[in-house]
């Protein structure tokens, strides 16, 4: 059993652990996986100490913004996998899918009232902070939130960072100690906990256990009050498919990552962001796979703290480039969103960016599009329309084109504030990895966050600009445009 570092655990209330409870309750909300998950490790610590069974409660609400068949299907694929796996292991599993907004109210309270302690996931964005806030009001037993977001525990960062360079320097100084205690890759197989657990009938009668198998089937989501116009994509959620994607990437993408990841036709980027977003795969698991393929040990780390993108890990340039995205850029976003409650507000852009964008609000805009025009790929630009079509149909945009996609929304909107809102709406409605800390930091990067000033240009001011011509010159787009062109 792995001991969970204290810096990853926060008490949400001041109640004690109750030794007379019936079980340890793990309320799974963001870290939706049974492996590499500090919340499970923590729940098992309690279960083994108190000799109590573990109940894993995984709910899915309907009353959240942008709830759609696409997001629901992804999460339900993971729930279905959990149901199958836990059928042969000791923890009890209680999947619950809310049939109407508010129908699940009272369920957590009912389950917690019989628990010794409630363990839940810590995550800085979207629904999770609201959920953890509601857990603070539970008075029946201790409630703990556990952070499995990244290699760096979120609370280990003592401030926000203005650039990736500044954050990298911080990581180079602080990360090594946190690499010593990774979560357990398979905590449930050998867990020494009592297995006898029956979920109280009065609870399951009021809040029916979900039939995740049935909900996987085509068409069954229609009974739920969510947006059915945003349909599922061929992408499959869950840990097993995430692991397959990871293996494919390590074998065929990582060896080309540095040179080819920017090319949409190359298939050299990992494509892992939807699994990461849904908590279906852990950044620790991805890191461990890179470590194995590189034959790396911590003694390869450089002692030089210089904030440079490459050289610090002591890995091949491809692996260093990849970890710079997975660790530096991804976790920069998590730290930012955990320390800035208004992460989704245009007004929190850096002062220099706001000033320069506002200075250029009056500039002539050759093209201005409405949300509807953007949504339906009705701009004049072939590459932009193709990227938006990929987003609508596949739920992803290749990473380099995503920057271009955002920059052009800034250029073709009547006001930068409007552009910010348009990006949030399109990204979070259609993207499988939308509603993530990196959604908000990616969108605000388009408008200057974590970047520096560039030579001044119309509309963009000193914010970095991008052009279609340069994008076409830089990227291999032939196959991409055949697939997503008009
Ligand atoms: C306008 C805009 C919107 C974005 N919206 C999202 C979003 O909704 N969800 C999301 O996860 N990312 C978002 N990003 C960041 C980035 O585009 C995606 O993480 C990346 O394209 C995912 O593809 P991949 O998994 O193949 O990445 P890879 O290149 O294989 O990188 C591995 C992982 O590193 C992380 N990563 C890579 N690039 C970045 C980056 N620039 N910033 C932060 N983390 C990064 C991701 O977790 C990614 O899965 C956005 C960027 C922009 C410019």
């Amino acid at each position: 059993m792995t001991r969970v570092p204290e810096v990853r655990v926060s008490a949400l209330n001041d109640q004690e652990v109750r030794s007379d409870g019936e079980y340890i309750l793990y309320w799974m909300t963001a870290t939706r996986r049974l492996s590499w998950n500090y919340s499970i490790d923590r729940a098992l610590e309690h279960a083994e100490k108190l000799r109590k069974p573990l109940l894993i409660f995984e709910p899915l609400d309907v009353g959240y913004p942008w709830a759609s068949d696409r997001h629901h299907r992804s999460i339900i694929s993971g729930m279905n996998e959990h149901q199958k796996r836990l059928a042969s292991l000791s923890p009890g599993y209680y999947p619950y899918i809310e049939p109407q907004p508010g129908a699940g109210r009272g369920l957590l309270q009912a389950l917690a009232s019989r628990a010794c302690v409630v363990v839940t996931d810590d995550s800085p964005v979207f629904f999770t902070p609201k959920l953890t806030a509601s857990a603070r009001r539970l008075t029946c037993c201790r409630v703990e939130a556990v952070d499995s977001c990244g290699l760096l525990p979120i609370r280990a960062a003592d401030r926000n960072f203005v650039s990736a360079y500044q954050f990298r320097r911080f990581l180079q100084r602080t990360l090594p100690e946190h690499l010593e205690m990774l979560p357990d890759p398979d905590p449930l197989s050998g867990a020494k906990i009592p297995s006898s657990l029956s979920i109280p009938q009065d609870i399951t009668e009021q809040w029916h256990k979900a039939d995740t198998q049935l909900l996987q089937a085509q068409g069954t989501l229609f009974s739920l009050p969510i947006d059915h116009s945003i349909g599922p994509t061929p992408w499959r959620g869950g840990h097993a498919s995430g692991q397959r994607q990871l293996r494919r990437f390590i074998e065929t993408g990582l060896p080309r990552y540095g040179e080819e990841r920017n090319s949409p036709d190359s298939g050299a980027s990992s494509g892992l962001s939807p699994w990461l977003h849904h908590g279906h795969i852990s950044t620790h698991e991805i890191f461990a796979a890179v470590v194995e393929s590189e034959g790396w040990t911590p003694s390869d780390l450089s002692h030089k703290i210089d904030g440079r993108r490459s050289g610090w890990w002591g890995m091949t340039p491809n692996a260093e480039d990849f970890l710079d995205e997975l660790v530096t850029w991804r976790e920069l976003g998590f730290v930012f969103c955990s320390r800035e409650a208004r992460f989704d507000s245009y007004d929190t852009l850096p002062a220099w960016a706001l000033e320069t964008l506002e200075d250029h609000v009056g500039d002539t805009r050759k093209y201005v599009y409405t949300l509807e025009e953007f949504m339906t790929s009705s701009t004049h630009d072939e590459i932009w329309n193709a990227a938006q079509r990929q987003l609508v149909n596949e739920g992803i945009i290749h990473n380099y084109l995503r920057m271009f996609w955002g920059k052009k929304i800034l250029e073709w909107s009547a006001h930068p504030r409007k552009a910010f809102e348009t990006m949030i709406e399109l990204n979070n409605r259609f993207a499988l990895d939308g509603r993530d800390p990196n959604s908000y930091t990616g969108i605000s990067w388009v408008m200057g966050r974590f970047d520096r000033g560039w030579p001044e240009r119309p509309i963009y001011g000193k914010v970095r600009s991008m052009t279609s011509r340069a994008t076409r010159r830089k990227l291999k787009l032939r196959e991409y445009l055949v697939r997503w062109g008009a």
Side-chain angles (χ1 to χ4, degrees), residues 19 79 106 147 213 266 354 381 393 408 474:
S19 55
M79 293 170 96
D147 157 23
Q213 182 94 46
S266 73
L354 279 177
D381 188 287
N393 290 286
K408 291 296 154 189
K474 198 165 171 182

Side-chain angles (χ1 to χ4, degrees), residues 257 269-273 276 325-326 330 399 402 427 433 439:
Y257 187 81
S269 61
S270 74
L272 284 165
S273 59
L276 280 163
E325 301 298 339
L326 179 75
R330 180 173 177 274
N399 51 14
R402 207 165 190 174
N427 192 81
D433 61 7
S439 313

Side-chain angles (χ1 to χ4, degrees), residues 376-407:
T376 51
S377 297
S378 307
T379 78
H380 64 285
D381 188 287
E382 184 190 18
I383 303 176
W384 194 94
N385 290 345
Q388 173 66 17
R389 267 187 218 106
Q390 186 190 17
L391 176 63
V392 168
N393 290 286
E394 272 195 335
I396 50 172
I397 307 185
H398 181 271
N399 51 14
Y400 187 91
L401 287 179
R402 207 165 190 174
M403 297 189 259
F404 171 76
W405 173 88
K407 290 287 182 185

